Amino acid sequence: MKKIYRYIFVSLLLLTGTIWSSQTYGQVITTFPYTENFDAMTTCGTISVNACELSGGWFNDLTNDTQDWTVDAGGTGSSQTGPSADHTSGSGNYLYFEATSPCFGGDDSAHVESPIIDATGFPAFEMNFWYHMYGQRMGDLHIDASTVTGGVPGHWDFDIKPSFKDNLDLWQNLTVNLNAYAGGQFQVRFRMVSGTNFYSDAALDDIVFQPIVPLNISPTALIAPVSPVTAGANDFEVEISNLGSVAVTSFQVNWDINGTPQAPFNYTGSLAANDRDTVNLGNVNITPGFYDVCIVTSLPNGSADQVPGNDTLCTNFCTPLSGVYTVGAGLDYNTPDEAAQAVLLCGVSGPVTFNIAPGTYGRVDLTGEILGTSATNTVTFNGGSPSQVTIESTTGNAAVHLESVDWVTFRNVSIVNLSALSYSWGVFLTDSADHNTIDSCLVQVATSPPSSLVAAVVASGSQTSNSLTGY
């Protein structure tokens, strides 16, 4: 119903000669830096087909997409995708792309447009923003721009920054050079295209438009190591971008691993404006485990960085798992799903067993290839007894979701789905999930409302039907 309503509204307004939007195109930003953190906007909820009226000159496209970006706070109802809080304060709003059915499949999209940015008089300009893209089937984020003439936007220039995707449960920073639009008026559009299932929720926050200053460097990517990391000596390489308007001949990089400071790196050379370089921070012996690394740049050309907000990059990596681990509050992993996400991130180098302590736990989502699995290197979730360990879901289509994963076993657990969906399953296998075993488990599925789609174990090419081929 969303699009029917909006087409009618467009017709009415076009009769009066007005270009429709949540706000008109008349709102022009002339004071910089200009920041939008969406905290002053009214939340719209996370239902993917909801129409969401924005404010402050931001508006959703009417005719060229299938859904809206919405203003949200406090996280999504889906596990293992989307942010749990905003970037600004942890308690505010963010702009959100929801990939819940029916809005996924790789052909659903949402377009949001900025106010008109008046960069008249500025020879160099940029946009900086924070994004959260967490989900095993993450879609692609595109950034477009349009020159505004006489208050009217022109055609869109597609992908002024190459489109990208990610699968990290953290807020990350990106700067986009807008020099091609400096000296006049322009708009920017964020165009999100969904992934192939609901594990593709994305979010934006703290979007800043500003003139490019002389001194602004930023760590933009950890090049090495990346998961899964081989234990032993590893070089740490990071990409440093010069986002300022002058060449940089020196800067400092401070960094830490799991909170332990490493030897600072001092760069000397020549990094041209709007260029990037990969530097080797040093070699570190990595033992098996999980690691958090934070990298901070400072002192370009011996002076203070004029945009300190993009000076820090934090990310993580891990070595492959092998052996026996315990699951439960305060143990190696707090929940079976936490263990599942660890093995997806890290892969395996030998057989892995997760022994689960007695208790009731939430849904388990294994979506994506586990690197290193084989007939020998299997992954087993062992509860000891179905009377002691329960994996339970009250929402969603299954309590255990296996997608594109191989050689996984669930043994001696109760698998319970209490969802009221008509397509309610205990275990759901899809997208070539092969060589998986459900052994000595008790599977219970709600039968209200009654439906022919209710089943204990389903292998299907559809998220909502137990009869679609293409599994």
Side-chain angles (χ1 to χ4, degrees), residues 22 61 64 138 146 170 215 232 244 299 377 403 421 436 445 468:
S22 300
D61 194 339
N64 299 306
M138 181 54 59
S146 173
L170 52 83
L215 298 176
L299 299 176
N377 294 347
E403 181 172 339
L421 293 172
N436 299 301
V445 181
L468 186 69

Side-chain angles (χ1 to χ4, degrees), residues 70-144:
T70 64
V71 180
D72 187 35
T76 173
S78 304
S79 63
Q80 307 307 324
T81 187
S84 58
D86 80 321
H87 172 262
T88 312
S89 63
S91 59
N93 297 342
Y94 47 83
L95 200 61
Y96 183 63
F97 176 86
E98 168 68 41
T100 296
S101 178
C103 293
F104 58 72
D107 55 358
D108 286 281
S109 65
H111 306 172
V112 65
E113 300 176 20
S114 74
I116 293 174
I117 306 299
D118 188 353
T120 302
F122 296 108
F125 219 81
E126 67 185 7
M127 175 182 69
N128 181 267
F129 68 98
W130 290 83
Y131 66 92
H132 192 285
M133 301 178 76
Y134 174 44
Q136 290 291 332
R137 288 294 181 268
M138 181 54 59
D140 294 289
L141 181 60
H142 302 257
I143 301 171
D144 310 324

Side-chain angles (χ1 to χ4, degrees), residues 240-251:
I240 306 294
S241 296
N242 180 6
L243 305 174
S245 60
V246 300
V248 171
T249 58
S250 65
F251 57 81

Side-chain angles (χ1 to χ4, degrees), residues 112-115 127 143-145 156 178 186-190 209:
V112 65
E113 300 176 20
S114 74
M127 175 182 69
I143 301 171
D144 310 324
W156 287 106
L178 296 170
F186 64 90
Q187 279 185 294
V188 166
R189 177 174 69 180
F190 292 92
F209 290 91

Side-chain angles (χ1 to χ4, degrees), residues 119 196 255 273 375 445:
T196 55
W255 58 300
V445 181

